[in-house]
Amino acid sequence: MPEMTISFLGTGSGTSTNSAHTAIVYDCNDGTRLLVDASSGNSVARAGFELGIPVESIDTVLLSHHHFDHMSGLVYVQQARAQARPDAPPLDVYLTEECLKWTNQLCSCNPSIGEANQDGVTNVAGRQVVRWHVVESGQEISLGLTTTAVCFPADHIASAVGWRVDSDGMGVVFSADTRFNPELIKASQGARLLIHEAFRTDEEKEHAAGRGHSTSGDAGRSADQANVGELILTHLDTGFSREPQPLIDDAKKHFSGPIRAVRDLDQVAISSP
């Protein structure tokens, strides 16, 4: 039976003080490995080492938006990968046009980088080490023999997107940072798993929306309306990382399927129906 393993390298919000920033690895049944968002600093390498996912094994990255807690770790991923695999093909990074502008600026700050432009990144020796792929919402991307991805608009900052990945009959949706989002509900229809941010409970709905984020109640409503098989809550702020039960209870008011909140280094295996 086809399976996919989801490894949570970072599950904290941008202001979290006890969890790494967002990064998730999907290991698909066809052998495709995807890094969804790149956290910050060396979090991907550190957590990946703990889980047996060496950073040099990552060849494909999907970015949701250009906030530093989601993409600034890309520089370290590229550098560590290049050191371990000097002859590796360029790291393939899928992102929006707006995200590319900011990511190029970030890469240009690295002294080991020779040039960052619209096509990709070269090192000081002139070797291409990153290859950009600019995507638009609704554009399907083939990433493996049976693995595809498509992004959809998120309601957070300009050009932010969430991602749906389908592989061997399993659909996994990552909300990215977003307020309650009808576009996510459309993209998530019938998915096996919805990974949704949960910044606060519904008691602080206005505060969450004001910051461009969802509540756990929003996550539950989205899961219910999209008829997904399972809901995972992530992007948790400091207090909820310590005690996530209020988030789970809030989501349960709206979604009757399985719900869990994840912490750094959690792994979840799913299989096709």
Side-chain angles (χ1 to χ4, degrees), residues 135-247:
V135 296
E136 297 182 359
S137 294
Q139 174 188 349
E140 186 174 270
I141 306 157
S142 178
L143 299 174
L145 289 174
T146 60
T147 301
T148 60
V150 62
C151 65
F152 54 89
D155 185 6
H156 184 57
I157 59 172
S159 83
V161 295
W163 286 95
R164 175 169 179 147
V165 172
D166 284 276
S167 186
D168 285 298
M170 294 168 286
V172 177
V173 177
F174 172 54
S175 71
D177 288 7
T178 188
R179 300 173 182 87
F180 181 77
N181 185 9
E183 293 292 337
L184 176 145
I185 294 169
K186 287 193 291 185
S188 302
Q189 290 298 316
R192 173 63 180 80
L193 175 66
L194 173 59
I195 303 168
H196 201 295
E197 74 140 310
F199 188 61
R200 292 287 191 275
T201 67
D202 273 349
E203 290 183 357
E204 297 182 87
K205 187 175 181 63
E206 291 185 5
H207 173 71
R211 296 280 300 276
H213 293 293
S214 294
T215 65
S216 46
D218 290 331
R221 283 183 281 269
S222 298
D224 178 68
Q225 293 178 36
N227 193 31
V228 303
E230 185 176 351
L231 173 62
I232 286 180
L233 306 177
T234 189
H235 198 264
L236 310 183
D237 212 11
T238 302
F240 291 116
S241 290
R242 295 193 185 99
E243 180 43 70
Q245 194 60 46
L247 298 175

Side-chain angles (χ1 to χ4, degrees), residues 61-176:
V61 182
L62 310 179
L63 292 181
S64 66
H65 65 295
H66 61 261
H67 277 167
F68 267 34
D69 58 313
H70 290 259
M71 65 81 159
S72 63
L74 183 67
V75 172
Y76 190 91
V77 169
Q78 178 275 312
Q79 187 167 314
R81 178 180 181 270
Q83 288 175 348
R85 293 170 61 196
D87 297 325
L91 181 67
D92 287 309
V93 181
Y94 294 83
L95 72 180
T96 64
E97 186 74 46
E98 181 69 15
C99 189
L100 173 58
K101 295 176 185 177
W102 291 88
T103 310
N104 264 337
Q105 292 185 48
L106 174 70
C107 291
S108 298
C109 297
N110 186 343
S112 69
I113 296 302
E115 183 182 7
N117 57 37
Q118 291 297 111
D119 296 319
V121 175
T122 57
N123 61 19
V124 291
R127 177 181 175 83
Q128 187 174 19
V129 292
V130 177
R131 183 165 45 216
W132 306 128
H133 301 270
V134 174
V135 296
E136 297 182 359
S137 294
Q139 174 188 349
E140 186 174 270
I141 306 157
S142 178
L143 299 174
L145 289 174
T146 60
T147 301
T148 60
V150 62
C151 65
F152 54 89
D155 185 6
H156 184 57
I157 59 172
S159 83
V161 295
W163 286 95
R164 175 169 179 147
V165 172
D166 284 276
S167 186
D168 285 298
M170 294 168 286
V172 177
V173 177
F174 172 54
S175 71

Side-chain angles (χ1 to χ4, degrees), residues 10-81:
T11 59
S13 70
T15 53
S16 175
T17 58
N18 59 357
S19 301
H21 292 144
T22 299
I24 313 169
V25 170
Y26 297 178
D27 281 306
C28 303
N29 191 71
D30 64 358
T32 302
R33 171 168 283 174
L34 307 174
L35 175 64
V36 183
D37 279 350
S39 190
S40 59
N42 67 346
S43 296
V44 170
R46 289 173 57 233
F49 176 79
E50 293 291 333
L51 294 176
I53 305 172
V55 69
E56 62 266 24
S57 71
I58 296 168
D59 292 330
T60 307
V61 182
L62 310 179
L63 292 181
S64 66
H65 65 295
H66 61 261
H67 277 167
F68 267 34
D69 58 313
H70 290 259
M71 65 81 159
S72 63
L74 183 67
V75 172
Y76 190 91
V77 169
Q78 178 275 312
Q79 187 167 314
R81 178 180 181 270

